[in-house]
Amino acid sequence: MELSTVPIEKPADINFILGQSHFIKTIEDLHEAIVQTVPQMKFGIAFCESSGPALVRWTGNDTELIDMAKKNALALSCGHCFIIFMSGGFPINILNTIKAVPEVCAIYCATANPAEVIVADTGNGRGILGVIDGMKSKGIETETDIAARKQMLRKFGYKL
């Protein structure tokens, strides 16, 4: 077995969700779930089919985000994984809806941070072992950090 890391290539301000599912209709169901939850969100989705023609299936409503999803999914090439890139919203806006799609088995991460995916290749196939999301912790937050966190959440409109 060979282990490697695959960096997710994206602009710093773009959020994504990486997950695992189990069926080819996932790509259409994820698309429908997003537009029914946040219709104005721009997104691109790619899904790695793991049998038959083993293609990267894709959909979305934004050409750049679709291309980003296709490129990253092909770099991963892990059976039944999917990746959603988005703008005009955050993962928190759609995450519960995505998790409720019947084909979705797991969510590995939902972030805008730099991320690396730990991949195992057995020669027969590839699978995701985990995700490195962001950077190592630098310390414990102070009272000033707490105030800044609360201010940021209010700026985004997540708290009153």
Side-chain angles (χ1 to χ4, degrees):
M1 176 173 58
E2 182 181 325
L3 297 179
S4 62
T5 58
V6 177
I8 300 299
E9 295 186 15
K10 64 174 201 61
D13 63 337
I14 295 294
N15 280 277
F16 75 96
I17 298 171
L18 178 64
Q20 185 83 29
S21 65
H22 75 91
F23 193 48
I24 191 172
K25 80 182 196 76
T26 301
I27 193 73
E28 292 177 23
D29 289 352
L30 290 173
H31 184 120
E32 291 168 358
I34 294 169
V35 297
Q36 290 171 10
T37 305
V38 186
Q40 75 279 7
M41 183 178 281
K42 298 295 182 198
F43 64 93
I45 309 170
F47 165 76
C48 295
E49 183 177 43
S50 68
S51 59
L55 299 172
V56 172
R57 306 295 182 161
W58 59 272
T59 188
N61 61 9
D62 181 275
T63 304
E64 280 187 50
L65 296 172
I66 292 168
D67 289 345
M68 197 179 308
K70 291 190 296 189
K71 178 182 176 183
N72 280 279
L74 187 59
L76 290 168
S77 290
C78 293
H80 284 155
C81 76
F82 65 86
I83 192 161
I84 303 168
F85 289 94
M86 67 197 74
S87 65
F90 297 99
I92 195 171
N93 303 132
I94 61 170
L95 196 53
N96 282 335
T97 300
I98 297 302
K99 290 188 285 188
V101 171
E103 298 89 47
V104 171
C105 301
I107 300 294
Y108 293 108
C109 71
T111 189
N113 292 334
E116 297 175 277
V117 182
I118 303 166
V119 172
D121 189 326
T122 66
N124 291 321
R126 289 167 59 104
I128 296 172
L129 298 183
V131 174
I132 307 299
D133 179 355
M135 62 184 78
K136 180 180 171 181
S137 298
K138 297 176 183 177
I140 305 295
E141 73 178 346
T142 64
E143 292 298 324
T144 302
D145 298 319
I146 292 169
R149 170 174 43 91
K150 290 180 177 183
Q151 182 180 11
M152 181 184 68
L153 291 172
R154 281 149 185 80
K155 176 183 168 191
F156 288 151
Y158 285 113
K159 296 290 182 177
L160 298 175

